[in-house]
Amino acid sequence: MKDQTQLRVVQAAGPIFADKGFDRATIREICTAAEANLASVNYHFGDKETLYLEAVRHAHALKMEQVPLSQWPSNTPPEEQLRFFIRAMLSRMLGTDELDWGTRLLMREMIEPTIACKSIVEDFIRPQLQLLLSILDEMVPQNISFHRKHQMAFSIVGQCLHYRVAREFVNLLIPEKERAEHFDRNHLVDHITEFSLAAIKNLPIPDSSEKKTS
Amino acid sequence: MKDQTQLRVVQAAGPIFADKGFDRATIREICTAAEANLASVNYHFGDKETLYLEAVRHAHALKMEQVPLSQWPSNTPPEEQLRFFIRAMLSRMLGTDELDWGTRLLMREMIEPTIACKSIVEDFIRPQLQLLLSILDEMVPQNISFHRKHQMAFSIVGQCLHYRVAREFVNLLIPEKERAEHFDRNHLVDHITEFSLAAIKNLPIPDSSEKKTS
DNA sequence: TGGCCTACCAAACAATTGTTTGATACTATT
DNA sequence: AATAGTATCAAACAATTGTTTGGTAGGCCA
């Protein structure tokens, strides 16, 4: 049977799309990397855009199978669950540059959404959000509203996201030495966890009354 | 004197680069928008890339003059200063789509830094960070360390950044109605401010001892 | 006036890139 | 064995795009 060139092409396309973007990535480069003929993209996928879509879905499927959502004992206290969650999310985002092209693809979808965006959110993002919400559920009053729980969740996610999205800015803002010493993954997990826990536990709980909006 | 075509080109280039990116934006489109000849880019700027740089610098200069950093009475309590700061930052990020191309350019620089990145950080980002740090200074113990203050600042910035970077994801995750009602600018300012204040005021202050890192 | 420089323009150029084509080997089916 | 279908390939194609060119108009100065 043929040498699975279709598969080789998708696999080669992922990293290339990830770090050069849709436009800068050329079919020629992808096919060369996949050791496939130039025409194989149009033969197997129709055009460049559907190859991109397929590559994103492939990356997404990979992430799903290699990063299981939750895996802690069922009796883990919610505070520790949150720490685990944050650790996992930060790990995914700050992945060493070898194999984090999946995340890079995701970032691109964020600021320049394509058709792949919707399925990514439903299959990949939403389950994570649900998990985070269920952790929060054990720490906040039962009667808290939908949107407040979501706002808290986004506050936590945002803190993690920052170190990926604004990574280059952080590098320029924080001196090398300081960064190596206090902004590595472990310290960031600790900080974000404690910052968030302190916030969650001391947040005022006015749910029905409107708040001052200056 | 000539019709300032050089200026017209930079001005036209900004929005186009912002929403199509460097590659998708064509010199022809820019020149058409600027009502300038196709050759003017190469005549006035040398090549496409330096035009891009000039456009970014131009956008950046505009932002600087139209969004003054702080303007609150000197006796404003730090809690309210923080609220103002967050409001200003969110406003800049969620700007109505007409004139927020400056921010869009910034986003692109974040995830795909060019040579313009460094000067943007120094002239635009760092002053904002300094201002935020000075606000925090009035709310945290004096002896708190450099990196912990910066981590707090990043936690605040990250929460705001999230709603811009992951905007499309939020739109898909939160139903339209809910979003219009509880995720508009005013409500987000309130939430982020209170979340951050609760965190800041209740954060443990272990500065010398290492923390658990699971 | 006559030269000189700058700004501008229409047209052409050269390189890249996505896509198509026609042929060839190979497999499976009848 | 003959046929049909699939996968692969080298080469060509067509469109786009950044860049260059040669020329024109007009201001400025000697």
Side-chain angles (χ1 to χ4, degrees), chain A residues 2 5 28 36-37 39 43-44:
Chain A
K2 56 267 154 164
T5 79
R28 279 172 175 81
N37 184 272
Y43 178 76
H44 287 287

Side-chain angles (χ1 to χ4, degrees), chain B residues 13-14 46 49-50 54 56 63 72 85 98 101 103 109 122 124 156-157 163 186:
Chain B
E49 189 173 338
T50 43
E54 224 53 52
V56 171
K63 278 275 179 205
W72 45 70
F85 180 89
E98 327 123 23
W101 55 268
T103 313
E109 280 295 322
E122 292 309 326
F124 188 52
I156 294 169
V157 172
Y163 288 97
N186 286 340

Side-chain angles (χ1 to χ4, degrees), chain A residues 18-176:
Chain A
D19 63 53
K20 320 192 62 160
F22 182 80
D23 297 282
R24 278 189 167 93
T26 76
I27 292 188
R28 279 172 175 81
E29 179 182 6
I30 291 172
C31 287
T32 303
E35 304 189 62
N37 184 272
L38 172 60
S40 25
V41 165
N42 287 272
Y43 178 76
H44 287 287
F45 301 93
D47 57 8
K48 187 184 180 182
E49 188 173 339
T50 43
L51 167 62
Y52 174 78
L53 249 68
E54 225 52 51
V56 172
R57 291 165 53 98
H58 182 74
H60 156 236
L62 270 187
K63 278 273 180 207
M64 284 302 279
E65 82 183 24
Q66 83 190 21
V67 181
L69 268 187
S70 72
Q71 43 186 7
W72 45 70
S74 60
N75 62 345
T76 308
E79 290 80 6
E80 281 308 302
Q81 289 183 29
L82 183 63
R83 185 182 301 274
F84 279 134
F85 181 90
I86 290 172
R87 164 171 294 270
M89 170 159 273
L90 260 183
S91 296
R92 239 175 278 121
M93 292 193 168
L94 304 184
T96 45
D97 300 295
E98 327 123 23
L99 273 185
D100 73 334
W101 53 269
T103 313
R104 264 176 294 160
L105 271 181
L106 235 155
M107 295 295 134
R108 292 190 183 278
E109 279 295 321
M110 276 193 182
I111 73 155
E112 210 161 3
T114 73
I115 331 169
C117 182
K118 193 164 183 174
S119 82
I120 285 185
V121 168
E122 293 308 327
D123 301 344
F124 188 52
I125 306 290
R126 196 185 290 279
Q128 281 187 264
L129 178 61
Q130 289 304 334
L131 176 59
L132 177 53
L133 287 172
S134 76
I135 296 174
L136 289 179
D137 261 333
E138 302 185 50
M139 289 189 285
V140 298
Q142 297 294 339
N143 62 345
I144 204 170
S145 67
F146 173 89
H147 68 269
R148 276 185 75 77
K149 265 187 298 192
H150 279 75
Q151 286 167 351
M152 290 191 212
F154 288 156
S155 280
I156 294 169
V157 172
Q159 292 176 73
C160 299
L161 195 60
H162 174 267
Y163 287 98
R164 154 58 86 138
V165 174
R167 170 193 286 190
E168 209 52 47
F169 286 12
V170 172
N171 287 348
L172 289 170
L173 287 168
I174 308 291
E176 167 75 32

Side-chain angles (χ1 to χ4, degrees), chain B:
Chain B
M1 186 204 248
K2 54 273 158 156
D3 211 3
Q4 298 274 61
T5 79
Q6 174 159 2
L7 181 61
R8 288 204 322 276
V9 171
V10 203
Q11 286 172 336
I16 295 181
F17 275 133
D19 63 52
K20 319 191 64 157
F22 182 80
D23 298 281
R24 276 189 168 92
T26 75
I27 291 188
R28 278 172 177 82
E29 180 182 5
I30 292 172
C31 287
T32 304
E35 305 189 60
N37 184 271
L38 172 61
S40 24
V41 165
N42 286 275
Y43 178 75
H44 287 287
F45 301 93
D47 58 8
K48 188 183 179 182
E49 189 173 338
T50 43
L51 166 62
Y52 174 79
L53 249 68
E54 224 53 52
V56 171
R57 292 165 53 99
H58 183 74
H60 157 236
L62 270 188
K63 278 275 179 205
M64 284 302 278
E65 81 183 26
Q66 85 191 21
V67 180
L69 267 188
S70 73
Q71 44 187 5
W72 45 70
S74 60
N75 61 345
T76 309
E79 290 79 7
E80 282 308 302
Q81 289 184 27
L82 183 62
R83 186 182 300 274
F84 280 133
F85 180 89
I86 289 173
R87 164 171 294 272
M89 169 160 273
L90 260 183
S91 296
R92 240 175 279 122
M93 291 193 169
L94 304 183
T96 46
D97 300 296
E98 327 123 23
L99 273 184
D100 72 334
W101 55 268
T103 313
R104 264 178 292 159
L105 272 181
L106 235 155
M107 294 295 134
R108 291 190 183 281
E109 280 295 322
M110 276 192 182
I111 74 155
E112 210 160 3
T114 72
I115 331 168
C117 182
K118 193 162 183 174
S119 82
I120 285 184
V121 168
E122 292 309 326
D123 301 343
F124 188 52
I125 306 290
R126 194 185 292 276
Q128 281 187 264
L129 178 61
Q130 289 304 334
L131 175 60
L132 177 53
L133 288 172
S134 76
I135 297 174
L136 289 179
D137 261 333
E138 303 184 50
M139 290 189 283
V140 298
Q142 296 296 340
N143 62 345
I144 204 170
S145 67
F146 173 90
H147 68 269
R148 276 184 77 78
K149 266 187 296 192
H150 279 75
Q151 287 167 351
M152 289 192 213
F154 288 156
S155 281
I156 294 169
V157 172
Q159 291 177 73
C160 299
L161 195 60
H162 174 267
Y163 288 97
R164 153 57 85 135
V165 174
R167 170 194 284 189
E168 208 53 45
F169 285 13
V170 172
N171 288 347
L172 289 170
L173 287 168
I174 308 291
E176 167 75 32
K177 186 176 179 311
E178 195 77 22
R179 209 175 341 126
E181 202 166 339
H182 296 108
F183 290 82
D184 63 307
R185 195 189 60 169
N186 286 340
H187 284 85
L188 290 183
V189 170
D190 288 340
H191 162 74
I192 295 176
T193 305
E194 277 144 29
F195 189 93
S196 302
L197 283 177
I200 293 169
K201 308 224 161 177
N202 298 92
L203 212 47
I205 37 166
D207 214 11
S208 45
S209 76
E210 276 302 291
K211 311 211 46 63
K212 144 170 205 192
T213 213
S214 49

